[in-house]
Amino acid sequence: MSQLEGVMASDWSSWLEDGQSTVVLVDHDGEAIDLRRRIAEAQGRAWLENLRVLPKAQWWVELWDSSFPELQVLRPVQVLALAEACIDGSDYLAESVIGVQGIARQFVDAFELAERYGLSTEAKPFATNEQQAFCDWRERLRLRLVEQGALTGGQLVAALGERIDELELPARLVLSHQLELTPTEQTLLNNLREAGVATYQLPPFASSKETLSCHQASFAGLQEEVQAAAQWVANRPAEQAQPRLALVATDVSRYEAPLQRALERYVYPASLFPAGHDQALSEPWRVGTGRLSAYPIIASALDALQIAQGEVPLEQLSRLLRSPFVVQAAEQAGARAELDWCWREYLGNRSTLVRALGLAAQRGFDAATEALLGLQKMAASHTGRAQPSVWVARFDAELLALGWPNREAGDPVVDQCRQGFSQVMDTLRALDRQLGAISRSDALRWLQHVLQGKRFELRRDEAPPLQLLSLEEASGQQFDAIWVLGLSDSALPQAVPPSPFLSREELVAAGVPRADHSDALKRDIALLETVLGSAPEWVISYPRQSDDAVVQTPCTLLDWHYPVLPESDLGEAFTVAAELELPAEERVRPVSPRERTSLRGGTGLFKAYAISPFFAFLKYRLGLQAMPEPVEGLDPKTQGNWIHRVLELFWRDIRESAALHAMTNAQIEAQLSAAIDRAMSEHSGHGEQLRRIEKRRLLSLLQEWLAFEQSRSEAFAVTHVEAAGQVDAFGLPLRMKIDRVDSIDGKTVVMDYKTGALSANQLNADNLLEPQLPLYALLGEDIVGEKIEGVVLAQIHPSSGMAVHMRSSWSANLVPRNVQNPVDSPEKWQAECDAWRRVLSEYARGFLAGEAGHNALCKDSDFAYDPYVPVLARAGEVSDD
């Protein structure tokens, strides 16, 4: 501030006395905010009443709007809409092009550049197809702009110069020392001087402090780098009053999220524990490139509008269902959590809102989906094409039906986000003239485009001491200390991407910045010098390895000869102390008689206990279940269920092996095909094409299995399929469902289908991890009414093949083969049943007694429960599988 007072103090004093208008032009918003702060600190806040500090591009628009309100300066999104209309259907587009928005964006960038620098409108000899297309599209866009009586930002300066006599001009114009002007802008300023506007050049605001310290640092990766930067911020001297700090990243998109997480951990951990604080807390930092779409309240609104459109990922439906911004979120939290589990269990990886609501109605979740049903009904009435302003009204009605944002008025974050969203809707509403009548999908596409480009930051009573900025945003500001992150050789110097529409020679001749590598190199060097000169204390750093494990070296634009930054010794971000009294021995209470009557589960309870008693405690006493994960296509459980159902239907009709042998291959195929169609019709949620593919797979697999059944050495009759009943399993109420019961020469055998790999050794009593068939052998008589004399583990697997493992009182074979250590006599069978009874009774006794130890030798694959996944109690019966 010293140079402003020393060089221009007399000028400022005279301007204050005469009261005439003064405009100060800078390069960007950050520089404008910083300059206003410095002027206010040096001259008093009264100075700001007589002058304006704003970015150059903003002043050109305001100057035009104040003088010619009847002629509109289009917003960038409006120009893009017109450009798409000019390009769509053009002869220059290849037939393979699906959408033109990406091409239109590049065309608009080139158009604005050509208009701003006065580049030629004619295609040069030997011009490329892209350059010829650009000249054609440029003329079309110009004609559309004339028809609408509108201008783009690139055309604005030239238009101001043509009507300078009609402009409402200030008395003085002050230019920032680093403001760069195009030839057209320079001509306009010359004309403004001739019109009597006094112009001044603002000298650099050099820091009054000498450089105190400069350090360099390198880190193994990005995470270590951002953690060190956060610790550096946290270790700033507490006695420094209102410090101005900046974390400057060469690539803000990569660094923003990791930096915010590190700052929350080391700089502001109290934000994680707001209870007990008397005043509202807010992060002590500002993100220069903040986006409105990053706020959860806005993301939920966009989710709602997209879900009402058609099929969406199941994760999006789940996110909206559990969103706190849907009406009655707190009251219906439990029911919606259960419904979320149900959707993940029974819907595919993608679904529609109508299909999801239908399943919710079948399962009795009407109250939990009342808001979503209102959204669906409102959206169903919004059909056909309409102008963007009509779609804005429709979208508002849909969000109102959903109860969004479900917050009390007066919440500053919600109020400001709603205001920002309203501004986005106003921008979409302004596209009526450019877009005309559009479909819902197009309206949502344009809404997303506007949202992604909407810069947004919450207003605060006081400016936070820390800012997260890009190099360009930091340029022109002053700080007490800065840290520049990501200064690797891959970040700077920046690459110069070629324009597909404008030749590099043409851009260089017109003086376009960064048109070639040599100019970009000079500007990058100057940018670094400016940023590092903005603070008396700074640190530069880079990660030695990129995100994809590529070795990186330091930026070659700097001399890395500074002292290495000392390691920070911050330790943990915070500590928690508490006194906790623990009993001498902590045990789980035994199962009470009342709890025993409410236990639900099948043979899976014994399997869970065999894997780990702790697993069984979590799953069957606490009722915890893993949240189902949506998968692409068909999940293994659905495929297995269809195989079981098809075989059930087949054997209900074909009861005996003699009938099976009498059937031709064509008859077997027809019988299976009908059974598959019926099984699939009972399960909704999958497309017709996917069902056809799966039907072919099932048909081939089950034909192979029935050919295996035809090779069995003894005649058999299928007496029961899917026989279900309630039994008492050593004191535990158990519901069992037996896949199939065969009668072989008067002896009863139970069979269990497995669509996974066969693991016969897990039936052994000393390693009983598959207790299902042993339970059938011991307790199945209560269900089928006949003594069980054998069990069969049947493997139906597409890659491992067809196989069976049999243990019985007379044979260990269904098909001729050699078996080691067979169970094939009444004595061996009785011994096997006694061993199973002993082990299973121990499992039941331990579960009822409250044993909940964990077997540390278990593999991760043994567990269907993940303690790090949100879980909930599932009402009703737990599946055996």
Side-chain angles (χ1 to χ4, degrees):
M1 204 61 210
S2 59
Q3 287 200 20
L4 174 63
E5 295 171 350
V7 175
M8 304 182 65
S10 60
D11 294 333
W12 287 103
S13 299
S14 62
W15 296 345
L16 179 61
E17 293 174 359
D18 63 27
Q20 296 184 5
S21 60
T22 303
V23 174
V24 183
L25 298 185
V26 296
D27 191 47
H28 53 80
D29 285 327
E31 186 180 0
I33 294 171
D34 188 67
L35 183 55
R36 283 195 290 265
R37 175 191 62 81
R38 287 184 285 179
I39 293 174
E41 289 176 354
Q43 303 294 333
R45 295 192 178 274
W47 285 86
L48 299 180
E49 299 176 3
N50 300 300
L51 63 88
R52 300 183 65 210
V53 183
L54 69 168
K56 172 187 65 175
Q58 180 182 342
W59 188 63
W60 298 143
V61 175
E62 292 185 5
L63 186 60
W64 180 272
D65 288 343
S66 63
S67 303
F68 315 111
E70 72 282 0
L71 298 174
Q72 183 183 14
V73 179
L74 296 185
R75 302 172 182 176
V77 66
Q78 293 174 299
V79 181
L80 181 63
L82 287 180
E84 279 198 23
C86 295
I87 294 174
D88 200 12
S90 170
D91 295 336
Y92 292 99
L93 291 178
E95 294 182 359
S96 58
V97 173
I98 299 176
V100 300
Q101 190 171 72
I103 300 173
R105 289 177 183 174
Q106 290 185 301
F107 164 66
V108 169
D109 291 341
F111 176 87
E112 295 286 56
L113 201 60
E115 296 293 299
R116 193 171 287 116
Y117 283 87
L119 301 182
S120 172
T121 60
E122 297 181 359
K124 302 291 190 296
F126 310 108
T128 64
N129 180 72
E130 289 81 2
Q131 291 168 346
Q132 292 176 357
F134 174 73
C135 293
D136 180 33
W137 296 343
R138 184 182 185 184
E139 291 306 314
R140 292 188 188 185
L141 181 53
R142 281 178 166 178
L143 289 175
R144 285 182 176 263
L145 290 168
V146 171
E147 291 172 1
Q148 296 195 2
L151 298 170
T152 70
Q155 297 174 324
L156 179 58
V157 177
L160 286 169
E162 293 173 359
R163 306 179 65 171
I164 194 169
D165 295 336
E166 305 173 59
L167 298 176
E168 298 180 5
L169 301 174
R172 284 169 294 271
L173 197 60
V174 183
L175 307 181
S176 168
H177 68 280
Q178 61 180 23
L179 190 64
E180 191 164 21
L181 301 174
T182 67
T184 310
E185 290 171 336
Q186 188 62 61
T187 300
L188 176 60
L189 288 177
N190 294 336
N191 293 339
L192 291 176
R193 292 191 192 99
E194 295 176 1
V197 178
T199 58
Y200 299 84
Q201 181 75 39
L202 193 65
F205 285 84
S207 174
S208 59
K209 304 175 183 178
E210 297 181 359
T211 300
L212 299 178
S213 67
C214 307
H215 290 93
Q216 68 181 41
S218 64
F219 301 91
L222 182 144
Q223 294 299 330
E224 292 79 6
E225 185 183 19
V226 299
Q227 177 178 315
Q231 291 178 337
W232 174 79
V233 173
N235 283 329
R236 301 301 302 170
E239 63 272 8
Q240 185 177 3
Q242 294 184 339
R244 286 183 50 79
L245 309 174
L247 296 177
V248 182
T250 55
D251 185 352
V252 176
S253 61
R254 284 182 59 231
Y255 276 86
E256 180 181 342
L259 272 174
Q260 294 228 47
R261 288 194 295 268
L263 291 171
E264 287 170 358
R265 176 174 175 82
Y266 291 101
V267 178
Y268 200 46
S271 64
L272 304 177
F273 308 101
H277 290 266
D278 297 332
Q279 57 185 5
L281 300 175
S282 60
E283 299 85 352
W285 59 80
R286 169 191 290 144
V287 180
T289 55
R291 293 285 182 267
L292 181 63
S293 56
Y295 286 81
I297 184 174
I298 304 302
S300 69
L302 191 58
D303 278 342
L305 299 178
Q306 291 174 332
I307 284 169
Q309 178 181 4
E311 193 174 67
V312 295
L314 182 59
E315 181 61 34
Q316 199 168 356
L317 275 167
S318 173
R319 193 165 59 230
L320 183 64
L321 176 69
R322 304 287 293 274
S323 171
F325 305 108
V326 175
V327 68
Q328 290 190 321
E331 297 85 345
Q332 293 290 333
R336 290 176 185 177
E338 290 190 49
L339 177 57
D340 188 16
W341 195 99
C342 181
W343 280 356
R344 290 171 180 266
E345 180 79 2
Y346 296 106
L347 293 177
N349 195 44
R350 296 179 64 85
S351 182
T352 63
L353 181 57
V354 173
R355 193 185 308 153
L357 291 175
L359 177 61
Q362 293 174 10
R363 301 282 173 170
F365 289 103
D366 296 320
T369 57
E370 186 175 344
L372 294 179
L373 186 61
L375 169 66
Q376 188 269 325
K377 289 181 178 178
M378 184 63 69
S381 65
H382 297 155
T383 59
R385 302 172 69 86
Q387 290 190 326
S389 59
V390 176
W391 281 115
V392 168
R394 292 177 173 181
F395 291 159
D396 285 341
E398 291 173 14
L399 293 176
L400 185 63
L402 186 67
W404 182 89
N406 189 37
R407 286 292 186 273
E408 295 285 341
D411 185 324
V413 175
V414 172
D415 290 345
Q416 291 183 50
C417 285
R418 292 186 68 179
Q419 183 179 358
F421 192 67
S422 178
Q423 294 171 356
V424 168
M425 289 298 203
D426 288 341
T427 302
L428 182 61
R429 189 182 290 111
L431 290 171
D432 279 1
R433 199 170 178 191
Q434 287 77 38
L435 292 177
I438 57 176
S439 64
R440 180 190 184 94
S441 60
D442 283 336
L444 282 174
R445 178 169 66 89
W446 284 105
L447 175 61
Q448 284 182 280
H449 176 78
V450 178
L451 262 178
Q452 291 168 358
K454 173 69 173 174
R455 295 185 60 171
F456 178 78
E457 182 184 353
L458 294 175
R459 297 185 301 274
R460 312 191 187 193
D461 295 334
E462 295 184 2
L466 175 64
Q467 296 189 67
L468 278 59
L469 304 169
S470 66
L471 281 169
E472 291 76 11
E473 291 167 334
S475 176
Q477 301 192 52
Q478 280 191 322
F479 307 96
D480 294 310
I482 62 171
W483 183 316
V484 185
L485 303 98
L487 278 174
S488 67
D489 58 343
S490 60
L492 287 176
Q494 298 179 37
V496 179
S499 170
F501 298 111
L502 301 173
S503 68
R504 181 162 294 175
E505 295 77 10
E506 191 176 13
L507 296 175
V508 172
V512 176
R514 297 188 177 275
D516 65 353
H517 295 285
S518 61
D519 182 62
L521 182 61
K522 294 176 183 177
R523 292 175 182 274
D524 285 340
I525 294 173
L527 180 61
L528 275 178
E529 291 177 349
T530 301
V531 171
L532 295 180
S534 64
E537 179 183 345
W538 48 262
V539 180
I540 54 176
S541 67
Y542 72 97
R544 296 187 296 271
Q545 185 171 278
S546 67
D547 295 340
D548 48 2
V550 175
V551 175
Q552 297 185 140
T553 57
C555 172
T556 56
L557 303 186
L558 291 172
D559 292 328
W560 293 75
H561 61 273
Y562 306 102
V564 176
L565 182 74
E567 290 188 10
S568 174
D569 189 22
L570 187 63
E572 292 297 326
F574 52 89
T575 59
V576 176
E579 293 183 3
L580 183 63
E581 293 184 5
L582 295 176
E585 183 178 3
E586 186 174 7
R587 294 185 57 85
V588 175
R589 289 193 301 270
V591 178
S592 66
R594 180 178 179 181
E595 183 185 358
R596 186 179 307 191
T597 60
S598 63
L599 282 175
R600 295 292 183 269
T603 57
L605 187 153
F606 282 85
K607 182 174 182 178
Y609 189 91
I611 295 172
S612 169
F614 180 64
F615 182 24
F617 168 72
L618 294 176
K619 190 172 181 180
Y620 291 93
R621 293 194 65 182
L622 298 186
L624 302 185
Q625 292 281 312
M627 184 67 75
E629 290 292 333
V631 297
E632 292 287 351
L634 291 170
D635 61 281
K637 181 177 180 180
T638 299
Q639 293 176 311
N641 288 342
W642 279 347
I643 287 178
H644 279 70
R645 179 60 171 155
V646 170
L647 289 175
E648 176 192 355
L649 295 172
F650 181 87
W651 289 113
R652 284 190 187 279
D653 293 334
I654 312 300
R655 286 285 183 177
E656 298 181 347
S657 58
L660 177 64
H661 284 287
M663 296 177 71
T664 64
N665 290 338
Q667 289 174 326
I668 291 176
E669 181 177 351
Q671 189 81 16
L672 285 175
S673 180
I676 292 172
D677 288 339
R678 181 175 171 184
M680 287 185 169
S681 68
E682 296 169 354
H683 189 284
S684 61
H686 300 289
E688 189 61 32
Q689 182 64 26
L690 185 62
R691 288 169 178 268
R692 284 198 296 268
I693 295 172
E694 180 63 13
K695 180 178 180 179
R696 289 197 298 268
R697 190 189 76 87
L698 291 180
L699 195 59
S700 173
L701 182 67
L702 294 178
Q703 282 177 312
E704 184 180 354
W705 167 251
L706 291 178
F708 180 84
E709 292 257 41
Q710 288 177 325
S711 67
R712 289 173 57 171
S713 55
E714 296 180 276
F716 63 90
V718 178
T719 59
H720 298 83
V721 287
E722 300 297 328
Q726 188 84 18
V727 297
D728 183 286
F730 312 104
L732 285 170
L734 193 70
R735 180 170 178 79
M736 296 196 311
K737 182 184 287 186
I738 302 174
D739 290 346
R740 174 173 150 190
V741 181
D742 283 9
S743 176
I744 305 174
D745 194 21
K747 300 180 179 66
T748 301
V749 177
V750 295
M751 180 181 292
D752 187 50
Y753 300 126
K754 293 296 182 185
T755 54
L758 193 67
S759 53
N761 64 324
Q762 293 184 347
L763 290 177
N764 298 338
D766 57 354
N767 183 41
L768 189 54
L769 295 178
E770 287 289 348
Q772 194 168 0
L773 276 173
L775 284 167
Y776 293 165
L778 299 176
L779 306 174
E781 183 177 0
D782 295 340
I783 296 177
V784 301
E786 301 169 359
K787 182 180 179 181
I788 307 300
E789 297 191 52
V791 295
V792 176
L793 193 61
Q795 173 183 277
I796 307 175
H797 198 277
S799 58
S800 299
M802 309 297 145
V804 292
H805 175 78
M806 182 176 180
R807 301 183 187 187
S808 74
S809 63
W810 80 97
S811 173
N813 292 310
L814 283 184
V815 295
R817 66 188 181 94
N818 294 324
V819 179
Q820 295 182 349
N821 302 318
V823 177
D824 57 359
S825 66
E827 296 77 18
K828 291 181 179 180
W829 173 249
Q830 185 60 46
E832 189 82 339
C833 289
D834 291 343
W836 284 340
R837 189 183 307 275
R838 183 183 68 255
V839 173
L840 291 172
S841 62
E842 289 177 357
Y843 286 173
R845 179 199 57 76
F847 181 85
L848 291 170
E851 291 185 8
H854 175 58
N855 182 3
L857 299 179
C858 289
K859 298 177 294 185
D860 291 344
S861 58
D862 293 332
F863 286 86
Y865 168 73
D866 182 355
Y868 299 103
V869 175
V871 292
L872 51 96
R874 177 184 177 185
E877 186 176 295
V878 178
S879 168
D880 290 346
D881 297 325

